[in-house]
Amino acid sequence: MRHLAFITALLWLSGLSYAMTDPAPVEITVVSVQASNKGTPHKTFSKGLEKVKSAIASLSYDTFEKIGSSNAVIPFGEKTTFYINQRYSLVVEPTSIDDQGRIRLKTQILMQSKKDSDPVKALDTVLVMAPGKHLNLGGLKLTDGDLIVVMKVK
Amino acid sequence: MKSTCTHENDVERWFDGEQPNDPQLESHIEHCTTCQKHLTFMKTCRASLEALPETPTIDDAQMPAFLAGISEGVHAPKRRHAGLWAMASVSAAAVIVAVSMMTITSEGPAPVAADTIVETYSTDIDGASAELLYTDSGTPTIWLNAPDSGTPTIWLNAPEDGEL
């Protein structure tokens, strides 16, 4: 009887540990890029865009300059804000994981159109992202070019 | 009522061979039904005893070993399954710990073959629209078409299915 209780306790602890560790928080990488056309004969990519070059190379711009990049580990159900510049920010909230390991995310690019006013949802999306694959959010106006935000989950 | 004869003891001694030659007693037996019955009874008893299986005997030299065997049987502990249970418990615990460690230390699922899906997309900017396109590398791209910039013709690749 004592052994049976011991095994039952171990099974319970195993299940508890499994429940506590699944799902793991989501690691998200965000790279923001300013894309523009400056009349260069070949497409140019600034330093730091090597890993996202394939995701944006076919866009009809000739110059891609990195604005910034950031990594975050986000638990499910929590929102995290990535600051891009004074005008734009990206809000990401992982909500669930499907049976193929894809992460469902709510993402919003907020735009501060006027000082002291509430930001506007420039883009509001629900994504189911496959780990290791890129996704672009773009078309937002910058002073000199357009903003492209490249996202990837691990 | 059982009849008796004063010669019964003599008949017993004669039967046991203690007085083998006694013509007088033998003649008495031939004429005394009581002694005849007693003689028949003794013959039956002897035959029955001889028919019994031989009883093993224990010599004095074997007695210590015999007693030691009894003592061992009396004092030896009963066989229990504690060892079997312990082994089963240890094995189950090892499996559970291994599975738990694999779960805890695993680095999560490998990149999946399934594609990224864009479930919904929209914009709150007045007069703007959002659309879903794909780059040459197949990267899903949600693009904002803002009113101040018009509809940008920035795509090298048009969607093949025309739904975008």
Side-chain angles (χ1 to χ4, degrees):
Chain A
M1 185 60 75
R2 284 180 306 161
H3 295 91
L4 190 61
F6 177 64
I7 292 173
T8 304
L10 281 176
L11 285 171
W12 182 79
L13 286 172
S14 177
L16 182 64
S17 68
Y18 187 84
M20 290 173 65
T21 57
D22 185 53
V26 181
E27 183 175 353
I28 298 178
T29 301
V30 175
V31 178
S32 53
V33 181
Q34 175 176 286
S36 60
N37 283 308
K38 295 183 177 178
T40 58
H42 303 288
K43 290 179 180 283
T44 59
F45 299 86
S46 71
K47 187 177 181 181
L49 295 181
E50 295 81 4
K51 292 183 179 179
V52 300
K53 181 178 176 181
S54 63
I56 58 176
S58 65
L59 300 177
S60 59
Y61 299 96
D62 59 25
T63 302
F64 298 87
E65 297 169 283
K66 179 180 175 180
I67 298 173
S69 64
S70 181
N71 279 40
V73 178
I74 310 173
F76 283 89
E78 289 190 13
K79 290 182 179 179
T80 295
T81 300
F82 296 85
Y83 175 82
I84 297 173
N85 62 17
Q86 289 184 331
R87 192 174 189 193
Y88 297 108
S89 58
L90 171 69
V91 180
V92 177
E93 179 189 358
T95 58
S96 63
I97 182 170
D98 71 8
D99 56 0
Q100 298 185 71
R102 295 180 298 190
I103 311 298
R104 176 172 281 101
L105 303 166
K106 292 180 180 176
T107 67
Q108 297 171 346
I109 291 186
L110 300 180
M111 182 177 69
Q112 192 71 46
S113 58
K114 296 178 181 176
K115 196 174 183 180
D116 299 330
S117 64
D118 291 335
V120 176
K121 294 177 186 175
L123 280 176
D124 188 5
T125 70
V126 177
L127 313 169
V128 182
M129 289 193 68
K133 297 183 179 180
H134 291 106
L135 181 136
N136 300 328
L137 303 171
L140 302 114
K141 295 297 140 188
L142 296 173
T143 304
D144 184 15
D146 292 332
L147 171 66
I148 301 169
V149 177
V150 186
M151 297 173 53
K152 185 174 79 171
V153 299
K154 292 184 178 177
Chain B
M1 180 178 220
K2 184 181 178 184
S3 60
T4 58
C5 177
T6 56
H7 293 287
E8 282 184 353
N9 290 338
D10 296 331
V11 171
E12 290 173 1
R13 281 193 291 273
W14 176 79
F15 182 73
D16 289 340
E18 294 178 5
Q19 46 184 75
N21 295 317
D22 191 344
Q24 230 178 356
L25 182 63
E26 291 174 5
S27 175
H28 171 76
I29 294 171
E30 288 178 2
H31 298 93
C32 177
T33 55
T34 300
C35 286
Q36 287 174 2
K37 289 180 180 176
H38 191 55
L39 181 62
T40 302
F41 170 74
M42 288 191 293
K43 286 181 179 177
T44 303
C45 286
R46 176 174 288 179
S48 299
L49 289 172
E50 288 176 351
L52 290 173
E54 186 177 355
T55 303
T57 57
I58 302 172
D59 297 335
D60 291 342
Q62 295 173 314
M63 188 56 73
F66 175 70
L67 294 175
I70 293 175
S71 176
E72 183 179 342
V74 169
H75 295 103
K78 291 182 179 178
R79 292 195 63 184
R80 298 172 63 185
H81 299 292
L84 186 63
W85 270 109
M87 183 67 73
S89 299
V90 170
S91 300
V95 170
I96 292 168
V97 169
V99 171
S100 300
M101 291 303 293
M102 288 173 63
T103 303
I104 293 169
T105 59
S106 64
E107 296 179 352
V112 296
D115 290 330
T116 293
I117 298 172
V118 178
E119 289 191 338
T120 64
Y121 54 94
S122 62
T123 178
D124 286 353
I125 297 176
D126 290 339
S129 63
E131 60 181 331
L132 173 62
L133 303 168
Y134 291 86
T135 66
D136 283 354
S137 63
T139 303
T141 302
I142 302 168
W143 201 263
L144 176 70
N145 296 310
D148 57 343
S149 62
T151 301
T153 53
I154 59 173
W155 298 101
L156 296 177
N157 59 320
E160 294 180 0
D161 55 10
E163 293 180 358
L164 302 176

